[in-house]
Amino acid sequence: KAGVTQTPRYLIKTRGQQVTLSCSPISGHRSVSWYQQTPGQGLQFLFEYFSETQRNKGNFPGRFSGRQFSNSRSEMNVSTLELGDSALYLCASSLEGTGSGELFFGEGSRLTVL
Amino acid sequence: AQSVTQLDSQVPVFEEAPVELRCNYSSSVSVYLFWYVQYPNQGLQLLLKYLSGSTLVKSINGFEAEFNKSQTSFHLRKPSVHISDTAEYFCAVRTAGNTPLVFGKGTRLSVIA
């Protein structure tokens, strides 16, 4: 069974640009969550999608957005990039995304903003 | 809202020595507790989890954690560590329902030969 796949793995952007990251969940998983990981803040929750609907949202500015498609694949977009957006962006999928459900993580997309 | 505190950001330990990584959570309702491990340049992998029942849970590679409701803790222990255990360990908490998994800031375990 294929795991969670994130693309691209590495990317470099400059301030003011925008970026789109992609996540393909494990087959059959309907929930996709996104996290931002930085050395100082650890993992911070961005948002969660379930059956194409945003179900939870973290405390990030509106520059961060996402969506989920009918095949459960998800994308997140960051507009007007800032230096502080440099981070590892992790996607995780789960069957239902609730309570006791285990999250399965991809290897992440490492974004560097210059 | 729930939160997780990992009391140590870095823990160096000699090979074959015991280790304890501390985790405390705050929540006013019943919780599910998880430990994840992240090896260099990889995503997170589930190490073990407490959902209900026995308060002591174990992983296949020798780690164990005990849920202590009165102290709101879920410390991770291993009696004898190996070089291969060098990684970052994250404690996480979640409540029932459609709530996100909340992580601590992580503890970097460095095993010294």
Side-chain angles (χ1 to χ4, degrees):
Chain A
K1 198 173 190 181
V4 177
T5 304
Q6 292 187 244
T7 56
R9 289 292 314 280
Y10 302 91
L11 65 167
I12 300 172
K13 295 285 187 178
T14 57
R15 279 180 297 175
Q17 287 187 310
Q18 73 165 12
V19 66
T20 298
L21 308 178
S22 179
C23 173
S24 294
I26 291 172
S27 177
H29 285 191
R30 295 193 293 166
S31 168
V32 173
S33 298
W34 288 89
Y35 288 84
Q36 181 195 65
Q37 184 180 15
T38 57
Q41 298 300 317
L43 281 94
Q44 293 188 286
F45 174 74
L46 281 156
F47 27 65
E48 183 217 354
Y49 288 87
F50 180 81
S51 294
E52 302 179 66
T53 301
Q54 187 180 85
R55 189 159 64 177
N56 285 295
K57 188 177 189 305
N59 189 25
F60 278 81
R63 301 185 297 108
F64 292 81
S65 63
R67 59 179 176 168
Q68 187 180 33
F69 302 96
S70 59
N71 61 357
S72 292
R73 190 177 70 85
S74 177
E75 289 181 347
M76 67 162 283
N77 182 277
V78 188
S79 62
T80 319
L81 284 166
E82 300 177 359
L83 294 179
D85 297 334
S86 294
L88 180 67
Y89 289 88
L90 291 165
C91 167
S93 75
S94 66
L95 277 170
E96 297 290 334
T98 62
S100 61
E102 175 184 349
L103 295 188
F104 294 83
F105 282 83
E107 293 187 321
S109 293
R110 185 167 295 281
L111 170 65
T112 301
V113 182
L114 302 176
Chain B
Q2 63 265 36
S3 65
V4 179
T5 301
Q6 292 185 243
L7 297 163
D8 305 296
S9 59
Q10 296 187 62
V11 173
V13 62
F14 287 104
E15 193 174 18
E16 297 184 8
V19 70
E20 177 180 81
L21 307 183
R22 296 178 291 171
C23 171
N24 287 90
Y25 68 92
S26 67
S27 176
S28 58
V29 298
S30 295
V31 296
Y32 304 109
L33 294 158
F34 305 80
W35 275 99
Y36 280 81
V37 58
Q38 185 178 34
Y39 298 102
N41 299 314
Q42 294 187 24
L44 278 71
Q45 303 170 31
L46 181 68
L47 189 60
L48 48 73
K49 61 184 176 182
Y50 169 79
L51 304 180
S52 65
S54 173
T55 57
L56 183 65
V57 292
K58 300 184 179 185
S59 73
I60 59 173
N61 58 352
F63 282 94
E64 63 181 36
E66 185 156 22
F67 169 56
N68 187 319
K69 188 175 182 179
S70 63
Q71 297 187 3
T72 59
S73 67
F74 191 54
H75 300 332
L76 182 69
R77 301 183 182 93
K78 189 171 185 180
S80 175
V81 294
H82 303 289
I83 294 289
S84 59
D85 293 324
T86 294
E88 189 146 22
Y89 292 79
F90 293 91
C91 181
V93 64
R94 192 173 200 170
T95 59
N98 301 329
T99 60
L101 190 61
V102 176
F103 286 85
K105 293 192 175 182
T107 298
R108 185 172 300 278
L109 174 64
S110 299
V111 181
I112 306 161

